[in-house]
Amino acid sequence: MMFVFLSKFLPLWLYPLGLIWLLLIAYLLLARKSAQASKGRWIIILVVVIIFLGGNRWVPAMLARTLEWRYLPPEQLPSNSTVVLLGGGTESQQYPRQMTETNGAGDRVLYTAKLYQSGIVERIILSGGNIEWSGSRTTTPAQDMEELLLLMNVPKDVLILQDQSRNTAEDAQFSAEILRKRNIEEIILVTSASHMWRSVALFEKQGIKVIPAPADYSITYESWNSLWKPSFQDLMIGLVPNAGNLSDVTYVMKEYLGFAVYRLRGWL
């Protein structure tokens, strides 16, 4: 439990906003006496650079592309397939929400429904549980995804819930246990494009053959090409840092840090 907590808490101080916060605190400590204020000038310069690099339009797009385009959508998928859908795209029903809702990663749920409607999917494993010390959810991601897929006319007997996992490593571990009991060796894996690299590696570590089927792309071919041919207005707006771009950088850093930590722990 402690590792799960630290894996969520400690990286916050390496992401752009957390790092900026630490640097500003350091400056305030150095500037308590006016004679020492000049010593903190380099910290302010570093803060400005971090905000600019993480907050402009181009750097986050380049970083996101390094993850998202590792796996592009497959041209053809096998019939009678098993899909493993990873949680993270839903928000549980809590007042004033009138139903389970999707968040920015909810495309993975929609894409899974589309795969089922195409007639190639025999079963769907819904993977995602809750962390014990995080009490903000009233249902598990697996249950939330089940509710949404039922709304999209996916039959209940097609769905298999795996709602014990607390992170992606446990998604792979617990889902693989279900797969082995059913003698299933190959899956179609559905998750966000930026999350696919780490997810594929974890499932393959479990001995499962993976066909990646990413959803939730933020960088398309058209947006990537237009990024390098901006109008003057787009250029000016794109150079101004904003929180959305910083959030994108944070997400990419989370994936790379997660991959590194999992590799060090021998999970990959």
Side-chain angles (χ1 to χ4, degrees), residues 37-69:
S38 61
K39 296 180 181 179
R41 185 176 302 172
W42 65 270
I43 297 178
I44 297 301
I45 293 173
L46 186 56
V47 168
V48 171
V49 171
I50 291 174
I51 292 175
F52 175 74
L53 291 179
N56 74 68
R57 183 178 295 170
W58 289 268
V59 172
M62 288 187 289
L63 291 174
R65 182 177 180 269
T66 64
L67 287 175
E68 292 188 356
W69 287 17

Side-chain angles (χ1 to χ4, degrees), residues 1 10-11 14 18 32 49 111-113 125 128 157 183 222 226 238:
M1 183 184 301
L10 292 180
L14 298 176
R32 283 182 300 175
V49 171
Y111 184 42
T112 297
I125 297 176
D157 59 3
N183 296 316
E222 183 176 351
S226 64

Side-chain angles (χ1 to χ4, degrees), residues 165-176:
S165 54
R166 299 166 297 176
N167 54 35
T168 310
E170 291 185 355
D171 280 330
Q173 176 189 345
F174 296 148
S175 296

Side-chain angles (χ1 to χ4, degrees), residues 158-222:
V158 171
L159 306 176
I160 303 170
L161 269 65
Q162 186 291 103
D163 59 0
Q164 302 303 308
S165 54
R166 299 166 297 176
N167 54 35
T168 310
E170 291 185 355
D171 280 330
Q173 176 189 345
F174 296 148
S175 296
E177 292 174 0
I178 295 174
L179 294 166
R180 283 190 283 266
K181 289 178 181 178
R182 294 172 175 261
N183 296 316
I184 299 170
E185 299 178 349
E186 180 182 78
I187 63 167
I188 296 173
L189 183 61
V190 178
T191 188
S192 297
S194 57
H195 186 232
M196 186 62 77
W197 179 44
R198 181 159 52 117
S199 303
V200 168
L202 287 165
F203 274 86
E204 288 180 341
K205 182 72 172 181
Q206 293 290 331
I208 305 298
K209 182 179 179 182
V210 178
I211 302 174
D216 187 30
Y217 283 93
S218 65
I219 308 298
T220 65
Y221 279 7
E222 183 176 351

Side-chain angles (χ1 to χ4, degrees), residues 88-94 97 99-105 136-141 144-145 147-148:
T90 61
E91 304 293 341
S92 59
Q93 180 181 350
Q94 300 175 31
R97 296 178 190 146
M99 58 175 287
T100 296
E101 297 181 355
T102 58
N103 55 36
S136 60
R137 299 186 67 100
T138 54
T139 53
T140 65
D144 292 342
M145 293 187 294
E147 178 183 334
L148 293 175

